[in-house]
Structure formats: C-alpha cells, structure tokens
Amino acid sequence: MKPHRQKRLGIILFIAVGLSLAVGLTLFALRQNINMFYTPTQVAAGEVASGVQFRIGGMVKAGTIQEDQGSLRVSFVTTDYASDVPVQYEGILPDLFREGQGVVAEGQIDSAGVFHASKVLAKHDENYMSPEVKAALDAAGASPENHMMQPET
Amino acid sequence: MLPELGSFSLILALCLCGILGTLPMVGAHTGNQVWMNLARPLAAGIFVFLGIGFAILVYAFLTDDFSVSFVAQHSNSMLPMRYKFTAAWGGHEGSFLLWTFMLAGWMFAVGVFSKSMPIDFVARVLGVLGLISFSYILFMLATSNPFDRIVPLPPADGADLNSALQDIGFILHPPTLYMGYVGFSVVFAFAIAALISGRMDAAWARWSRPWANVAWAILTIGIALGSWWAYYELGWGGWWAWDPVENPPLITWLFGTALVHSLAVTEKRGVFKSWTILLAILAFSGSLLGTFITRSGLLTSVHAFASDPDRGFFILGILGIAIGGSLLLYALRAPLMKADAGFELVSREMFLLANNVILVVAAASVFLGTLFPMVYQAITDDLISIGPPYFNAIFAPLMMLLVVFLGVGPLSRWKRTSPAYLVAQLSRVALASLVLGVLIPLLVLLEFSLAASITLLLALWVIFSIARDMADKTANKKTRVAGLRSLSWSYYGMQLAHFGIAVMLVGVSLTSYFSSERSVLLDIGGTVELGGYRFDLVDSRRIEGPNYFGEQVEMTVSRDGEVFRVLNPERRLYVASGTPSTEMAIDAGLFRDLFVTLGEQRDSGAWTMTIYVKPFVRWIWLGAIFMAFGACIAAGDKRYRRLRVRETRTAGSPSSEVMQPAS
C-alpha cells in the first residue's frame, strides 16, 4: 500500500473506531439516565412502578408543608388540581419553594404511594413556570391562572 | 422621549447593517473600491448607534423610568445603583441588546485591526458580520424591543431584579460570555469570506488565528465566571450542573478549542483547510444554538427567560438560514480546497487530528444529551430529562483520552515523528506521573481512590511532558536562559494553556472525589464537625439591606481548637418581589473552600443549613484563567505583527495564494 493511502486508511480507521466508541458509550449512558416525567394524576393512577427513578411536577398544595422539628425531613403534597401525591424529602428546600408554587421533584414512589424525593427543584425566576409543571396542569385541565395564589401583601 | 430615540437608533443601526450586508459584498465581487471602502465606516456607525441605544437603556434604568416595560419588569426604585446599571442585561430584551452591541464592538475592532488585510477580504468579513447583526436587530425590533412602553398607565414602581442576579458574578458573567460567544461570529465571518473569495491559504489562517484565540479566551473566562457564580450564588455547592443552558457555551467552547488547534495546522502546514472552515461554522452554530435554547424557553432550566414562542420561531429561522446557507456554501466550495502538504501516521498533524476528533465527539454527545429531551417530546409527547450521570459517563473518558494525546502532541514533530523518539522522550514522564499519581493521594489524603489517582496521574502527565518539552527545546542553546528567551510567545501561550488544563484537572478530580457535605438542623450553640473542621452556631440576628431584610447567623470555624474564621451566611427576603434568597458564606482558600448555606428557621428556633468542605475547588477556575491567558499570549505573538507587514508588501500579487481547484 502506498504511504498516503496507508495514512488515509489510518485516519478513517481512527475516526471510525472513535465514533463507534462514542456512539456506543452515548447510547449506553442515555439508556441508563433518562428520567421520565409524570404528572400527579398519572402517578396517583399507578402508572409508575415503585423503585423507578422519575420526575414528578405540579403545584405545592397549600397548607400541606410539614416540617419535622427534630430533623431535616419535610413532607408536602404536590397536586395538579385533579390528583394529589404526597412527597417526602430530607434536606434543604430551594429558596423559591413555596405553597401554591410549581415544583419539580426527582425520586421514587413507594408501595404506599408516597414519593420519596432525592432532589427538589424550584426555579430562579418566579414568573417562569417550568414546562413540566405547565404540562401537568394542562393535562389535568387546570390552568395555573385559576389557581394562582394571591400575591402576598 | 429618550426611549423612542433608543428605538430609533436601533432602526438606524438596522439600516446600516442592511447596507453593510450588501454593498461592500457586491463591491468585493465587482471590484468596486468605493463600495468596499464603505465597510469600515459602516461598522463604526453600527457600533455607535447600538452604543447609543444601550446607553439610553442604561439611562432609563438609572433614572427609574418605569414607563419602559423592560425597566418596570427588571428594576425597582430601591435597587442599589450598581444593580440598576447591570439590570440592563438582567432580562431577555436588554441582554439581547447587549449581545448585539458586543457583536458591533467586534465588528468595529475588525475594522480597526485589519489595516494589513486586502480590502476585498475586509469588505466580505464585515459584510457577513453585517448580515448577522441585521438579523439580530430585526429580531430585537420585531419580538423583543427593550424600549417598549407600558401605555397608558405605567406602574409606580418596578418589579425588581431577580435576587439571584443582584451579585458581582452576574455583573461579570453575561457580558463576558456574550463577548466570547459573538467573538466566534468573527471567525465564522472570516471562514465565510474565505469560502466566497476562494482564499483559503496560510495567510488567511494567520489572520484568523488571533481572533479565534481571543474569542476562545474570553469564552473560557465567561464560562468559568458562570461556573463560579453558580457555585457561590445558587447554593448547592456544585460548579457544573449540565444544565441545558450551560451546555451550549460548552459545545461552542469545544468546537472553538478544536478550531484553535485546527487553525494552527492550517497556518503551519496548509492542511485541514476544509475541516477548519467547518469547525468555524460549527462554533458559530453553537453560539446561535445557545441563543435559541436560552431564549425560546423550550427546555427546563434554571436560566430560562420567561418566554414567548414567537421568539423561538424567529431564532430558529435565523439558525436555519445561517447554518443552512453556510453549509451550502461550504458544500459548493470545500471540494476546491487542496492540502498543500502530506503527513504521516505518527506526526503532530495526526495528534492534532486526534484532538479534533475527540473534541468534536465530545461536543456532539453534549449536544445530543441537551437536545434529546426536546426531540423525544416532539416524537412521543412524553417529557423526560437527562441527568448529569449521562454527561459524566461520556465526557470524563473522552477528556481523559484527550489529555493523554495532549502530553504527546507538543513533543511530536510536524510531518513525521518516529515512534521510538516519542517513547524515548515520554517513557520517564509516564513512569513519574504514574508513581506520583498513585503516591500523592495516598500520602496526603491517606485514602486511595482509583478515579482520583487516574486524574491526578493525567494532570502530572501533562505537567511533566511540558517540562520535558521545554527542557528539550532549550537543550541546544548556550544557557537555559538564552534557550527560554528564544522560545516564541505562541509556544509559551500554548504551554500555559495546557498547564491550565492540568490545573483544572486537579481541581475537578479532587473536588469531585474528596468533597464532603452535611445538611443539619442546628440550634444556637450547636456544633457540627466536618472534614476536620468544627462549626459552631454562635448567634443569629436580623439584618436590613437597601432593598431586602433578612436574617444572618454567625458561625465560628475552628480547627484543632482554634477559631480561625467567622462565617455569616444570610437569608434574605427581597421587599419588592417578595422572593427569598440565600447568601452563602464561604471561606475561600487555594487548597479548600468551606462553604455554608442557610436554610429556613424552624419554629423551634433551630436553623437548617448545609455545610460543605470542598478541596481544590478554586483550581478549576484558576485553570481556566491560565488557559485564557495562554490563548491571549499566543495571540500576541510577534509573528502575527511581523508577517502583517510582509503581507501588505505582497498583497498586490495574490496569484500564488489563490487556491487551485483539486484535480
């Protein structure tokens, strides 16, 4: 084989090996790390098996935040105004976590229907509603405007 | 009245962009000197009018003109002066104006620093930039004019700037990031001008390189600032979250890094030409993609602006035309490019190719992970998210591989290197980094972690190979000092940037593997120990700021029974917006950060808080600073200045520079 052919073959082989390695790794990693998103209605209907990692999004139901006095355990109810799902979390909640505001939690559901969150997300910008929460409310036929909390005075 | 003048100056700038995008381009095609010479004054004019527009917006903020809708949404009469100033880029409209203004700044700079380039080339570069600005300003006027008024009843006071943005990190991060982002538009314009004119030679690469280096350096700093800001402001102790809005700058940066290296090959050896052009197009597309993702609100992210679908479609339109158009041009012109020289399987070209392939694959996998949820939703209607584990699983091995090549590349020779030479040069380097990489964590931290050892080993590999190379390159001179003096700026720049990678690698690995954190509920007088430090909660008190009130706790930090630092984390409530915000307290150090975030106070009076000990976290940003410095030093290399003079002399006889069609 001529040297420049050999070089070209080398380059092509190198790129092919690199690419297939990357594609393989990517697909493997993607399969492992997709978090599906469910609405409280879907979760309450039992659409998710226990032990599966997923995200749930809805509003924090007013009057349901309960803090354990002796530890960092917190429980609240997330709702899409059609169904409710109780959530438990141990840790510090984000600044913008409040009753009547949207919340997205990541974690697993147990057999009793309680969601154990490993992560709770609330947003930077309070005018901004995460597409996930909005989708959950739309799916349940509840527009957030009808249920918006009155601004604090 | 003033805000209307602001709109008016935007419209004027739009008109100038329209002219800049057409006349000089046509002039360059037909050889009309007058039309080509219009490019520089037009670029200056656009810079001036966008500057006036931006100044008027800032003035509206400083004077609390709440009849302007954008001001009313992002400012408040109680906001401290410096934040009123920076609130001008605290939301979509204003930040887009800043973005466009920065692009105009780059255009102006191209006009000023291009005296040595042939005028037809300058006309084309500025013409392309004019077209880009034209689409940006059109977008701004059509969907997000920052000067829109609230009529007839303006609010008495504004809604206040988002509390997370009232901070020094925010003052610096977006302008720097934008500056770096739009800097790649310049390199893109150089590439398009080269495609149009058919001028794809070493001179072209030499003109592009300083611009690419500077844009890359600024982008590096911009990303690092964002990471630093997220670290201390968002309060979760992390420095990178693979957030959908963090990713596009990283994608652009990865393409940009590949481009900087590929340009080096094109300049020195006259090969990889069409690849370099493609990378310039990709880096620019990355910056447009970032704009699209941030401003369309399609992805869930901490950064997303409250959004409006029209904007998304508009940007998608720009994206489609710019990327589609440039790729079409590329497809038509690229086959004409021909390599000036060959190279062998083991050569510096080959190692740089490896660098490029890895960087592009890394960029592609980040791109895939970022956009996958969006595509998935469009197809199945299900919402999904992709977590950091995906990105870590792909990114970390790729970067490790990249660093392995990084050690070899600079030592290898252009065109052909004998493998035996490389082995002789690097066997001791490899051995030393292997031994120390395993020993250091073991001795210093009394812990063994395979992952930490591997990354440390790689960092040492880079550092030792730099030392080896410098020793080698100075060996033949009379004295070491004379040898060091003989090395060029661009050589030092390269090595400094590579050293920055090693520093960052140390930071990333030690922070990731040896950080500790604890969330606790603490009464006044309570104590918690973490990582050999003892934290005592001494006191809490109410505080009042200019536009917020809140609570502050006092914590003493002690080690071996000796108090060495008092930390005062705060929890604030911003009056106008009613948003709560936590202010972290950090004891920063070169070797470790102590970091306390305050949660809420329970009814019992106890505070929830999280304490972090983060070893070597500063090294991540320190590494980025080295990298940026390195790129700037390389951009200032003598040869760019010296050769410019020679270029002007030979500019009249371009025949040898024009590329030949491939047979």
Short mmCIF file of all heavy atoms in Angstrom, two decimals, chain B residues 419-472:
data_model
loop_
_atom_site.label_atom_id
_atom_site.label_comp_id
_atom_site.label_asym_id
_atom_site.label_seq_id
_atom_site.Cartn_x
_atom_site.Cartn_y
_atom_site.Cartn_z
N PRO B 419 8.16 6.89 16.18
CA PRO B 419 7.56 6.43 17.44
C PRO B 419 8.63 6.18 18.50
O PRO B 419 8.41 6.45 19.69
CB PRO B 419 6.87 5.13 17.05
CG PRO B 419 6.64 5.23 15.58
CD PRO B 419 7.75 6.08 15.04
N ALA B 420 9.81 5.72 18.06
CA ALA B 420 10.88 5.44 19.01
C ALA B 420 11.29 6.71 19.75
O ALA B 420 11.54 6.71 20.95
CB ALA B 420 12.08 4.84 18.28
N TYR B 421 11.32 7.84 19.00
CA TYR B 421 11.67 9.12 19.61
C TYR B 421 10.67 9.49 20.70
O TYR B 421 11.04 9.90 21.80
CB TYR B 421 11.71 10.19 18.51
CG TYR B 421 11.78 11.60 19.02
CD1 TYR B 421 12.98 12.14 19.47
CD2 TYR B 421 10.64 12.40 19.04
CE1 TYR B 421 13.04 13.44 19.94
CE2 TYR B 421 10.69 13.71 19.51
CZ TYR B 421 11.89 14.22 19.96
OH TYR B 421 11.95 15.49 20.42
N LEU B 422 9.39 9.32 20.38
CA LEU B 422 8.36 9.67 21.35
C LEU B 422 8.46 8.79 22.60
O LEU B 422 8.34 9.28 23.73
CB LEU B 422 6.96 9.51 20.73
CG LEU B 422 6.57 10.60 19.75
CD1 LEU B 422 5.18 10.32 19.19
CD2 LEU B 422 6.60 11.97 20.41
N VAL B 423 8.70 7.51 22.37
CA VAL B 423 8.82 6.60 23.52
C VAL B 423 10.00 7.02 24.40
O VAL B 423 9.89 7.11 25.62
CB VAL B 423 8.98 5.14 23.04
CG1 VAL B 423 9.32 4.23 24.22
CG2 VAL B 423 7.70 4.68 22.36
N ALA B 424 11.12 7.35 23.73
CA ALA B 424 12.31 7.75 24.48
C ALA B 424 12.03 9.02 25.28
O ALA B 424 12.43 9.15 26.44
CB ALA B 424 13.48 7.99 23.52
N GLN B 425 11.32 9.95 24.66
CA GLN B 425 11.02 11.21 25.34
C GLN B 425 10.07 11.02 26.50
O GLN B 425 10.17 11.72 27.51
CB GLN B 425 10.38 12.20 24.34
CG GLN B 425 11.30 12.72 23.28
CD GLN B 425 12.27 13.74 23.85
OE1 GLN B 425 11.88 14.67 24.53
NE2 GLN B 425 13.55 13.51 23.62
N LEU B 426 9.11 10.14 26.32
CA LEU B 426 7.99 10.14 27.24
C LEU B 426 7.95 8.99 28.24
O LEU B 426 7.12 8.99 29.13
CB LEU B 426 6.68 10.17 26.44
CG LEU B 426 6.40 11.52 25.78
CD1 LEU B 426 5.28 11.40 24.77
CD2 LEU B 426 6.07 12.57 26.82
N SER B 427 8.85 8.03 28.09
CA SER B 427 8.74 6.88 29.00
C SER B 427 8.97 7.29 30.46
O SER B 427 8.24 6.86 31.35
CB SER B 427 9.71 5.78 28.58
OG SER B 427 11.01 6.32 28.48
N ARG B 428 9.97 8.17 30.67
CA ARG B 428 10.20 8.59 32.04
C ARG B 428 9.07 9.47 32.57
O ARG B 428 8.69 9.42 33.73
CB ARG B 428 11.54 9.30 32.16
CG ARG B 428 12.65 8.30 32.47
CD ARG B 428 13.92 9.01 32.81
NE ARG B 428 14.42 9.73 31.64
CZ ARG B 428 15.42 10.62 31.68
NH1 ARG B 428 15.98 10.91 32.84
NH2 ARG B 428 15.84 11.22 30.59
N VAL B 429 8.54 10.31 31.67
CA VAL B 429 7.40 11.15 32.04
C VAL B 429 6.23 10.28 32.49
O VAL B 429 5.60 10.52 33.52
CB VAL B 429 6.98 12.04 30.84
CG1 VAL B 429 5.64 12.70 31.09
CG2 VAL B 429 8.05 13.07 30.57
N ALA B 430 5.99 9.23 31.70
CA ALA B 430 4.87 8.34 32.03
C ALA B 430 5.10 7.64 33.36
O ALA B 430 4.20 7.57 34.21
CB ALA B 430 4.70 7.30 30.92
N LEU B 431 6.32 7.18 33.56
CA LEU B 431 6.62 6.45 34.79
C LEU B 431 6.46 7.38 36.01
O LEU B 431 5.82 7.02 37.00
CB LEU B 431 8.05 5.90 34.72
CG LEU B 431 8.41 4.94 35.84
CD1 LEU B 431 7.62 3.64 35.69
CD2 LEU B 431 9.91 4.66 35.87
N ALA B 432 7.04 8.57 35.90
CA ALA B 432 6.99 9.51 37.02
C ALA B 432 5.55 9.88 37.36
O ALA B 432 5.16 9.90 38.53
CB ALA B 432 7.79 10.76 36.69
N SER B 433 4.74 10.15 36.32
CA SER B 433 3.37 10.55 36.63
C SER B 433 2.58 9.38 37.19
O SER B 433 1.73 9.57 38.07
CB SER B 433 2.69 11.17 35.42
OG SER B 433 2.96 10.45 34.27
N LEU B 434 2.89 8.18 36.74
CA LEU B 434 2.20 7.01 37.28
C LEU B 434 2.49 6.84 38.77
O LEU B 434 1.59 6.71 39.59
CB LEU B 434 2.62 5.76 36.50
CG LEU B 434 1.96 4.46 36.94
CD1 LEU B 434 0.48 4.49 36.61
CD2 LEU B 434 2.62 3.26 36.28
N VAL B 435 3.78 6.88 39.12
CA VAL B 435 4.17 6.68 40.51
C VAL B 435 3.61 7.76 41.41
O VAL B 435 2.96 7.50 42.42
CB VAL B 435 5.71 6.62 40.62
CG1 VAL B 435 6.14 6.62 42.08
CG2 VAL B 435 6.23 5.39 39.90
N LEU B 436 3.82 9.03 40.99
CA LEU B 436 3.34 10.13 41.83
C LEU B 436 1.83 10.20 41.88
O LEU B 436 1.24 10.54 42.91
CB LEU B 436 3.91 11.45 41.33
CG LEU B 436 5.41 11.63 41.60
CD1 LEU B 436 5.91 12.91 40.97
CD2 LEU B 436 5.68 11.65 43.09
N GLY B 437 1.19 9.87 40.76
CA GLY B 437 -0.26 9.89 40.73
C GLY B 437 -0.88 8.94 41.73
O GLY B 437 -1.93 9.19 42.30
N VAL B 438 -0.21 7.83 41.95
CA VAL B 438 -0.72 6.88 42.94
C VAL B 438 -0.28 7.29 44.34
O VAL B 438 -1.07 7.23 45.29
CB VAL B 438 -0.22 5.46 42.61
CG1 VAL B 438 -0.62 4.49 43.71
CG2 VAL B 438 -0.79 5.00 41.28
N LEU B 439 0.96 7.75 44.46
CA LEU B 439 1.51 8.02 45.80
C LEU B 439 0.92 9.27 46.46
O LEU B 439 0.59 9.25 47.65
CB LEU B 439 3.03 8.17 45.72
CG LEU B 439 3.83 6.87 45.78
CD1 LEU B 439 5.31 7.17 45.79
CD2 LEU B 439 3.44 6.05 47.01
N ILE B 440 0.80 10.35 45.70
CA ILE B 440 0.39 11.61 46.32
C ILE B 440 -0.96 11.52 47.04
O ILE B 440 -1.06 11.86 48.22
CB ILE B 440 0.40 12.77 45.30
CG1 ILE B 440 1.85 13.08 44.91
CG2 ILE B 440 -0.25 14.03 45.86
CD1 ILE B 440 1.99 14.15 43.85
N PRO B 441 -2.01 11.04 46.37
CA PRO B 441 -3.28 10.94 47.10
C PRO B 441 -3.16 10.04 48.33
O PRO B 441 -3.75 10.30 49.37
CB PRO B 441 -4.25 10.33 46.09
CG PRO B 441 -3.61 10.42 44.79
CD PRO B 441 -2.15 10.52 45.00
N LEU B 442 -2.33 9.00 48.17
CA LEU B 442 -2.19 8.04 49.27
C LEU B 442 -1.51 8.69 50.47
O LEU B 442 -1.93 8.52 51.62
CB LEU B 442 -1.33 6.87 48.76
CG LEU B 442 -1.68 5.49 49.27
CD1 LEU B 442 -3.14 5.19 49.02
CD2 LEU B 442 -0.82 4.45 48.55
N LEU B 443 -0.47 9.49 50.22
CA LEU B 443 0.30 10.09 51.31
C LEU B 443 -0.41 11.30 51.91
O LEU B 443 -0.46 11.48 53.12
CB LEU B 443 1.68 10.52 50.81
CG LEU B 443 2.60 9.37 50.42
CD1 LEU B 443 3.91 9.91 49.89
CD2 LEU B 443 2.85 8.45 51.61
N VAL B 444 -0.96 12.15 51.04
CA VAL B 444 -1.54 13.40 51.52
C VAL B 444 -2.91 13.17 52.14
O VAL B 444 -3.24 13.70 53.20
CB VAL B 444 -1.65 14.43 50.38
CG1 VAL B 444 -2.32 15.71 50.85
CG2 VAL B 444 -0.26 14.73 49.84
N LEU B 445 -3.71 12.37 51.48
CA LEU B 445 -5.10 12.26 51.92
C LEU B 445 -5.37 10.95 52.67
O LEU B 445 -6.46 10.74 53.18
CB LEU B 445 -6.03 12.37 50.72
CG LEU B 445 -5.90 13.71 49.99
CD1 LEU B 445 -6.22 13.57 48.52
CD2 LEU B 445 -6.82 14.74 50.63
N LEU B 446 -4.36 10.09 52.70
CA LEU B 446 -4.48 8.81 53.40
C LEU B 446 -5.67 8.01 52.92
O LEU B 446 -6.34 7.31 53.67
CB LEU B 446 -4.59 9.04 54.91
CG LEU B 446 -3.47 9.89 55.51
CD1 LEU B 446 -3.81 10.30 56.93
CD2 LEU B 446 -2.15 9.16 55.47
N GLU B 447 -5.98 8.19 51.65
CA GLU B 447 -7.13 7.48 51.09
C GLU B 447 -6.73 7.02 49.71
O GLU B 447 -5.96 7.72 49.04
CB GLU B 447 -8.30 8.45 50.91
CG GLU B 447 -9.38 8.36 51.95
CD GLU B 447 -10.47 9.39 51.66
OE1 GLU B 447 -10.28 10.56 52.05
OE2 GLU B 447 -11.46 9.02 51.06
N PHE B 448 -7.23 5.91 49.27
CA PHE B 448 -6.97 5.56 47.88
C PHE B 448 -8.26 5.60 47.08
O PHE B 448 -9.27 5.03 47.48
CB PHE B 448 -6.34 4.18 47.76
CG PHE B 448 -6.05 3.81 46.33
CD1 PHE B 448 -4.98 4.39 45.67
CD2 PHE B 448 -6.87 2.95 45.63
CE1 PHE B 448 -4.72 4.10 44.35
CE2 PHE B 448 -6.61 2.65 44.29
CZ PHE B 448 -5.53 3.22 43.66
N SER B 449 -8.22 6.34 46.01
CA SER B 449 -9.37 6.35 45.12
C SER B 449 -8.83 6.20 43.71
O SER B 449 -7.98 6.98 43.28
CB SER B 449 -10.14 7.66 45.27
OG SER B 449 -10.71 8.02 44.03
N LEU B 450 -9.27 5.18 43.02
CA LEU B 450 -8.75 4.89 41.69
C LEU B 450 -8.98 6.07 40.76
O LEU B 450 -8.07 6.53 40.06
CB LEU B 450 -9.43 3.63 41.13
CG LEU B 450 -8.90 3.19 39.77
CD1 LEU B 450 -7.45 2.79 39.84
CD2 LEU B 450 -9.76 2.08 39.20
N ALA B 451 -10.22 6.61 40.82
CA ALA B 451 -10.56 7.70 39.90
C ALA B 451 -9.69 8.92 40.16
O ALA B 451 -9.21 9.55 39.22
CB ALA B 451 -12.04 8.05 40.06
N ALA B 452 -9.49 9.24 41.44
CA ALA B 452 -8.67 10.41 41.76
C ALA B 452 -7.23 10.20 41.32
O ALA B 452 -6.58 11.11 40.80
CB ALA B 452 -8.73 10.71 43.25
N SER B 453 -6.74 8.98 41.50
CA SER B 453 -5.37 8.70 41.08
C SER B 453 -5.21 8.82 39.58
O SER B 453 -4.21 9.37 39.10
CB SER B 453 -4.97 7.28 41.51
OG SER B 453 -4.62 7.28 42.86
N ILE B 454 -6.20 8.35 38.84
CA ILE B 454 -6.11 8.42 37.39
C ILE B 454 -6.07 9.88 36.92
O ILE B 454 -5.24 10.27 36.10
CB ILE B 454 -7.28 7.67 36.72
CG1 ILE B 454 -7.11 6.17 36.94
CG2 ILE B 454 -7.34 7.98 35.22
CD1 ILE B 454 -8.26 5.35 36.42
N THR B 455 -6.96 10.70 37.48
CA THR B 455 -6.98 12.09 37.02
C THR B 455 -5.71 12.83 37.45
O THR B 455 -5.17 13.62 36.69
CB THR B 455 -8.22 12.86 37.53
OG1 THR B 455 -8.57 12.36 38.80
CG2 THR B 455 -9.37 12.67 36.60
N LEU B 456 -5.24 12.54 38.64
CA LEU B 456 -4.01 13.19 39.09
C LEU B 456 -2.83 12.77 38.21
O LEU B 456 -1.99 13.58 37.82
CB LEU B 456 -3.73 12.85 40.55
CG LEU B 456 -2.67 13.71 41.20
CD1 LEU B 456 -3.15 15.15 41.28
CD2 LEU B 456 -2.34 13.20 42.59
N LEU B 457 -2.82 11.48 37.91
CA LEU B 457 -1.80 10.94 37.01
C LEU B 457 -1.80 11.68 35.68
O LEU B 457 -0.75 12.07 35.15
CB LEU B 457 -2.11 9.46 36.81
CG LEU B 457 -1.25 8.49 36.01
CD1 LEU B 457 -1.69 7.08 36.41
CD2 LEU B 457 -1.36 8.64 34.53
N LEU B 458 -3.00 11.92 35.16
CA LEU B 458 -3.10 12.60 33.87
C LEU B 458 -2.62 14.04 33.97
O LEU B 458 -1.95 14.56 33.07
CB LEU B 458 -4.54 12.55 33.36
CG LEU B 458 -5.00 11.17 32.88
CD1 LEU B 458 -6.49 11.17 32.61
CD2 LEU B 458 -4.25 10.75 31.63
N ALA B 459 -2.97 14.70 35.10
CA ALA B 459 -2.53 16.08 35.28
C ALA B 459 -1.00 16.13 35.32
O ALA B 459 -0.37 16.99 34.70
CB ALA B 459 -3.11 16.65 36.56
N LEU B 460 -0.39 15.18 36.05
CA LEU B 460 1.07 15.14 36.14
C LEU B 460 1.68 14.82 34.78
O LEU B 460 2.73 15.35 34.41
CB LEU B 460 1.49 14.10 37.17
CG LEU B 460 1.15 14.48 38.61
CD1 LEU B 460 1.37 13.30 39.54
CD2 LEU B 460 2.00 15.66 39.05
N TRP B 461 1.02 13.97 34.05
CA TRP B 461 1.45 13.62 32.70
C TRP B 461 1.59 14.87 31.83
O TRP B 461 2.59 15.07 31.14
CB TRP B 461 0.45 12.63 32.12
CG TRP B 461 0.44 12.40 30.64
CD1 TRP B 461 -0.49 12.86 29.76
CD2 TRP B 461 1.38 11.64 29.87
NE1 TRP B 461 -0.20 12.44 28.49
CE2 TRP B 461 0.95 11.68 28.53
CE3 TRP B 461 2.53 10.92 30.18
CZ2 TRP B 461 1.61 11.05 27.50
CZ3 TRP B 461 3.21 10.28 29.15
CH2 TRP B 461 2.76 10.34 27.83
N VAL B 462 0.59 15.74 31.94
CA VAL B 462 0.63 16.98 31.16
C VAL B 462 1.78 17.87 31.64
O VAL B 462 2.59 18.36 30.85
CB VAL B 462 -0.70 17.75 31.30
CG1 VAL B 462 -0.61 19.13 30.67
CG2 VAL B 462 -1.84 16.96 30.66
N ILE B 463 1.87 18.04 32.97
CA ILE B 463 2.88 18.95 33.52
C ILE B 463 4.29 18.46 33.21
O ILE B 463 5.15 19.22 32.74
CB ILE B 463 2.68 19.11 35.03
CG1 ILE B 463 1.34 19.82 35.29
CG2 ILE B 463 3.82 19.90 35.66
CD1 ILE B 463 0.89 19.79 36.72
N PHE B 464 4.54 17.18 33.42
CA PHE B 464 5.87 16.63 33.15
C PHE B 464 6.23 16.69 31.68
O PHE B 464 7.38 16.93 31.32
CB PHE B 464 5.98 15.18 33.66
CG PHE B 464 5.97 15.08 35.16
CD1 PHE B 464 5.57 13.91 35.80
CD2 PHE B 464 6.35 16.15 35.95
CE1 PHE B 464 5.56 13.81 37.19
CE2 PHE B 464 6.34 16.08 37.34
CZ PHE B 464 5.94 14.91 37.96
N SER B 465 5.23 16.45 30.82
CA SER B 465 5.58 16.48 29.40
C SER B 465 5.85 17.91 28.95
O SER B 465 6.66 18.12 28.05
CB SER B 465 4.51 15.80 28.55
OG SER B 465 3.33 16.53 28.59
N ILE B 466 5.19 18.88 29.58
CA ILE B 466 5.52 20.29 29.28
C ILE B 466 6.97 20.56 29.68
O ILE B 466 7.76 21.13 28.91
CB ILE B 466 4.58 21.25 30.03
CG1 ILE B 466 3.16 21.16 29.47
CG2 ILE B 466 5.09 22.69 29.93
CD1 ILE B 466 2.13 21.95 30.27
N ALA B 467 7.33 20.12 30.89
CA ALA B 467 8.69 20.33 31.39
C ALA B 467 9.71 19.65 30.47
O ALA B 467 10.73 20.22 30.10
CB ALA B 467 8.80 19.80 32.81
N ARG B 468 9.39 18.43 30.08
CA ARG B 468 10.25 17.64 29.21
C ARG B 468 10.48 18.37 27.88
O ARG B 468 11.59 18.51 27.38
CB ARG B 468 9.56 16.29 28.98
CG ARG B 468 10.14 15.35 27.97
CD ARG B 468 11.34 14.65 28.48
NE ARG B 468 12.51 15.19 27.79
CZ ARG B 468 13.75 14.84 28.05
NH1 ARG B 468 14.01 13.98 29.02
NH2 ARG B 468 14.75 15.35 27.37
N ASP B 469 9.38 18.89 27.35
CA ASP B 469 9.45 19.56 26.05
C ASP B 469 10.27 20.84 26.14
O ASP B 469 11.07 21.14 25.26
CB ASP B 469 8.03 19.87 25.57
CG ASP B 469 8.02 20.32 24.11
OD1 ASP B 469 8.73 19.69 23.32
OD2 ASP B 469 7.31 21.28 23.79
N MET B 470 10.07 21.58 27.23
CA MET B 470 10.81 22.83 27.38
C MET B 470 12.31 22.54 27.57
O MET B 470 13.16 23.25 27.03
CB MET B 470 10.26 23.65 28.54
CG MET B 470 8.90 24.22 28.19
SD MET B 470 8.17 25.21 29.49
CE MET B 470 8.85 26.79 29.12
N ALA B 471 12.60 21.52 28.33
CA ALA B 471 13.99 21.13 28.53
C ALA B 471 14.62 20.77 27.18
O ALA B 471 15.74 21.16 26.86
CB ALA B 471 14.07 19.95 29.49
N ASP B 472 13.85 20.04 26.39
CA ASP B 472 14.30 19.59 25.09
C ASP B 472 14.55 20.76 24.14
O ASP B 472 15.56 20.82 23.44
CB ASP B 472 13.19 18.70 24.51
CG ASP B 472 13.75 17.70 23.55
OD1 ASP B 472 14.83 17.17 23.85
OD2 ASP B 472 13.11 17.45 22.51
#
